[in-house]
């Protein structure tokens, strides 16, 4: 059975690319367009790793990360934060909040796969 990965990104193009990269590698992937949709995915089936875009219009990635880290059921799940800005402040905030890794958009398929595989192997 392959790992289930949740991708939350309001950018249709970015989300589609990440989902395709991960599915091609054999992962089961659920992609959603907003932070508000993420809790339903967590409740519907086990999630082994999550990728959250930081800048989203409804519930941002930092808020999602905080909620995951506060939930006893999901706090152990590795989370990759994704952003187009790459600002040092965002990286620092993500790490302080418990993110396991941080990628900037666009990221190469190789970088995405290395990051995901490394976190799932831990």
């Amino acid at each position: 059975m392959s790992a289930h990965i949740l991708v939350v990104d309001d950018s249709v193009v970015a989300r589609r690319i990440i989902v395709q990269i991960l599915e091609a590698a054999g992962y089961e992937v659920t992609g959603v367009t907003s932070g508000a949709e993420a809790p339903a995915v967590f409740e519907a089936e086990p999630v082994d790793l999550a990728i959250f875009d930081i800048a989203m219009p409804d519930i941002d990635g930092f808020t999602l990360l905080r909620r995951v880290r506060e939930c006893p059921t999901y706090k152990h799940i590795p989370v990759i934060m994704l952003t187009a800005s790459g600002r040092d402040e965002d990286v620092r905030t993500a790490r302080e909040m418990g993110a396991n890794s941080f990628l900037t958009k666009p990221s190469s398929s190789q970088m995405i796969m290395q990051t995901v595989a490394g976190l799932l192997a831990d």
Side-chain angles (χ1 to χ4, degrees), residues 38-66:
V41 176
F42 278 107
E43 291 179 19
E45 56 188 296
V47 173
D48 300 299
L49 182 139
I51 301 174
F52 299 153
D53 183 22
I54 290 177
M56 293 186 286
D58 58 352
I59 298 173
D60 66 31
F62 290 133
T63 301
L64 280 177
L65 177 60
R66 180 181 47 77

Side-chain angles (χ1 to χ4, degrees), residues 76-122:
H76 68 283
I77 295 171
V79 175
I80 299 168
M81 300 303 286
L82 184 66
T83 186
S85 79
R87 297 179 341 172
D88 290 341
E89 179 181 328
D90 287 343
V91 174
R92 186 176 59 254
T93 300
R95 296 263 186 228
E96 289 171 357
M97 293 181 71
N100 299 85
S101 192
F102 190 93
L103 293 172
T104 56
K105 292 192 246 184
S107 286
S108 69
S109 56
Q110 180 180 357
M111 180 61 72
I112 293 168
M113 289 308 307
Q114 285 177 340
T115 304
V116 167
L119 290 172
L120 290 173
D122 288 345

Side-chain angles (χ1 to χ4, degrees), residues 12-39:
V12 174
V13 173
R15 187 180 63 257
R16 187 174 300 149
I17 289 169
I18 294 167
V19 168
Q20 288 175 347
I21 290 167
L22 295 171
E23 286 179 339
Y27 295 108
E28 177 187 341
V29 185
T30 301
V32 297
T33 61
S34 74
E37 296 176 74

